[in-house]
Amino acid sequence: MAGESANWWQTGVIYQIYPRSFQDSNHDGVGDLRGILHRLPYLEELGVDAIWLSPIFTSPMADFGYDIADYTDVDPLFGNLADLDSLIDAAHRHQLKLILDLVPNHTSDKHSWFVDSKSSRNNPKRDWYIWRDPAADGGPPNNWLSEFGGSAWAFDPNTNQYYYHTFLSAQPDLNWRNPAVRDAMHDVMRFWLGRGVDGFRVDAVWYLIKDDQFRDNPLNPLFQPGGLPRDALIPFYTADLPEVHEAITGMRRVLDEFPDRVLLGEIYLPIERLVAYYGRDLKGVHFPYNFALLTAKWEARSLAQLIDEYEAALPSGGWPNWVLGNHDRPRLATRVGPNQVRVAAMLLMTLRGTPTLYYGDEIGMQQAAILPEQVRDPFEKNVPGIGIGRDGCRTPMQWDGTKSAGFSEADPWLPIADDFREVNVNSLSKDKGSLYWLYRRLIDLRRKHVALAEGSYKPLMASGELLLFYRELRKERVLIALNMGPEPIAVSFPEERVSGRVLLSAFADREGEEVSASFDLRGNEGLVMKLDSDRRDN
């Protein structure tokens, strides 16, 4: 079992739920909190340790909950505050932690704070948001661009000023240089922590601070026509500013007022900049989410180099983490292909650090095809035609082969993927050789073997399609061998004395098999092997 000194967020597996798409309990076609509560036994059976919910707060749903109108209440679409309290209590009874999605960078334009701020230039909350006079020609104050296309400035004719929005115009950015804003967000955190929430995943945290001189962002010399419009500029003055770390440290101080809680950060940055978000003396986020695998080339040497660079960049004591799927990127099974999805599962669950599993990836849900008339994602609507829509990875969870895949008795808010009659929890849970059971066994292995939960990472080989590495702690050493291609591979260790047995194979048919200085991998196969301690090299 895992060592007593490790924290739950280090040894555990986090499971991300997109609440709109997990389980509908009131037959309106949209998932809700009571639906999640109903499925807690499934999550306990799967073996995960914590669930992270995408936003469930009061919202006009311009960006499906990432535009918050009240930080301390639940949107009626998902239920009410009592439902969330019940979910927190029930999750804890099922030995599950519950993490909420905190969105501190911006609010909805319907939030009372913004309504007040917009009412007049003299309102006490005017400086809670970022307001600027028009440029000399009457246009936006500078060239800053929205992540969702177009200028990041929206004009308010009532007060004759522009307000700044990193995302939609319906999502005005808060002014985190204002101490009153920080105090208000700290109070939001205390509200939920006091109700028993086990932590937060902080959305878009690297955007919190903007340049106080409002200088133009530089042109991106690498921008190509047809790319995302936002990439025409380098966000030098609108993201990842040095002052953001002070704001995060303040949030961490609030979190540390409560025992055994976690602060996680959503940060899409290169590894060398990402690791700064652990903070000085590790007083930033407990870990910034590492999204490198979401866009990595699926090839052994490329992945080995990525892992080595990440491990080398981590600050002393910084805990790693890995993500292979989320609500913003195409589905894992579609990215790596159905033949490699088992190898991907084994990689995610055996690398050093905390894995986050996106709902449905444990059954191999594919990126669903979304017809133009079915598009709901505001990103796709604002920047159409270049394939950046996120609806395809947010479709309803496929529970069984009945109408609407067991998600709802009504027509769901997004279409069910075409393969739901074969790819669903009910059918795959009956097949001990399925991907679902592979995830269950992998999660169970992490609990039983301290080397997998807490051990060091030691690269061994990355050649052609073969990726080999050790995980070890004290006297336990585990070897992971992954074949990232379709052809068989013969593996040998001429320089090492190796013996042991197979703990788990990708196809669930080699457990207990003895291994020595040479063994074979079939195409698209992975093996997890426990090596004999008395034969290990020194």
Side-chain angles (χ1 to χ4, degrees), residues 180-192:
V181 169
R182 300 188 186 201
D183 290 344
M185 199 59 65
H186 294 168
D187 287 343
V188 167
M189 295 174 66
R190 292 186 181 98
F191 175 86
W192 292 112

Side-chain angles (χ1 to χ4, degrees), residues 135-431:
D137 63 0
N142 60 25
N143 72 346
W144 294 354
L145 295 176
S146 164
E147 290 291 300
F148 283 3
S151 173
W153 295 98
F155 186 65
D156 172 40
N158 182 50
T159 59
N160 198 38
Q161 280 191 318
Y162 284 86
Y163 67 87
Y164 179 74
H165 56 93
T166 297
F167 300 97
L168 297 173
S169 60
Q171 295 169 288
D173 278 38
L174 287 160
N175 176 17
W176 269 78
R177 293 184 181 275
N178 185 335
V181 169
R182 300 188 186 201
D183 290 344
M185 199 59 65
H186 294 168
D187 287 343
V188 167
M189 295 174 66
R190 292 186 181 98
F191 175 86
W192 292 112
L193 293 167
R195 299 186 90 91
V197 166
D198 296 290
F200 301 100
R201 174 267 193 187
V202 187
D203 179 72
V205 70
W206 78 109
Y207 287 115
L208 284 184
I209 303 291
K210 291 81 180 175
D211 181 49
D212 58 1
Q213 298 180 51
F214 297 92
R215 288 168 283 191
D216 280 353
N217 275 324
L219 296 175
N220 181 358
L222 302 179
F223 181 70
Q224 297 291 325
L228 287 174
R230 69 188 184 196
D231 293 336
L233 302 178
I234 298 171
F236 191 81
Y237 293 113
T238 50
D240 193 31
L241 271 68
E243 300 98 315
V244 75
H245 298 290
E246 180 188 353
I248 295 170
T249 299
M251 298 172 72
R252 175 63 180 271
R253 280 197 294 266
V254 173
L255 192 95
D256 288 344
E257 295 171 11
F258 298 80
D260 206 25
R261 312 299 169 94
V262 69
L263 191 69
L264 312 176
E266 182 207 26
I267 302 154
Y268 282 94
L269 289 174
I271 285 174
E272 67 273 11
R273 289 158 63 194
L274 176 78
V275 294
Y277 286 77
Y278 285 94
R280 182 175 296 180
D281 300 323
L282 301 181
K283 290 300 183 182
V285 295
H286 285 92
F287 58 74
Y289 265 120
N290 168 21
F291 300 120
L293 289 178
L294 292 174
T295 55
K297 183 179 180 182
W298 201 253
E299 187 269 332
R301 281 170 289 192
S302 297
L303 291 176
Q305 182 178 353
L306 183 157
I307 297 164
D308 288 346
E309 289 174 354
Y310 178 55
E311 285 278 351
L314 288 167
S316 177
W319 187 252
N321 70 96
W322 297 95
V323 178
L324 268 175
N326 69 14
H327 63 290
D328 286 331
R329 292 293 187 268
R331 281 279 181 184
L332 168 62
T334 300
R335 294 199 324 271
V336 304
N339 292 330
Q340 274 289 300
V341 73
R342 291 171 179 266
V343 171
M346 299 184 85
L347 180 68
L348 177 67
M349 293 296 168
T350 59
L351 283 173
R352 188 174 82 94
T354 304
T356 295
L357 177 60
Y358 185 50
Y359 85 96
D361 280 355
E362 74 272 24
I363 58 171
M365 282 178 61
Q366 295 274 346
Q367 184 81 355
I370 305 295
L371 300 175
E373 62 271 19
Q374 297 171 323
V375 170
R376 305 291 299 276
D377 182 11
F379 195 4
E380 174 70 14
K381 288 182 177 182
N382 281 22
V383 191
I386 58 175
I388 45 75
R390 301 167 295 178
D391 290 327
C393 66
R394 299 176 174 184
T395 55
M397 180 68 172
Q398 294 163 203
W399 294 105
D400 58 40
T402 63
K403 182 180 181 294
S404 296
F407 163 73
S408 176
E409 294 184 9
D411 291 333
W413 76 286
L414 278 175
I416 305 290
D418 292 339
D419 63 359
F420 77 94
R421 288 182 178 84
E422 297 78 34
V423 180
N424 63 69
V425 171
N426 185 55
S427 62
L428 295 183
S429 64
K430 296 175 181 176
D431 176 6

Side-chain angles (χ1 to χ4, degrees), residues 500-519:
R501 62 184 176 85
V502 173
L503 294 174
L504 182 63
S505 69
F507 305 114
D509 59 356
R510 296 178 66 177
E511 284 74 4
E513 179 181 311
E514 296 291 328
V515 294
S516 58
S518 63
F519 58 89

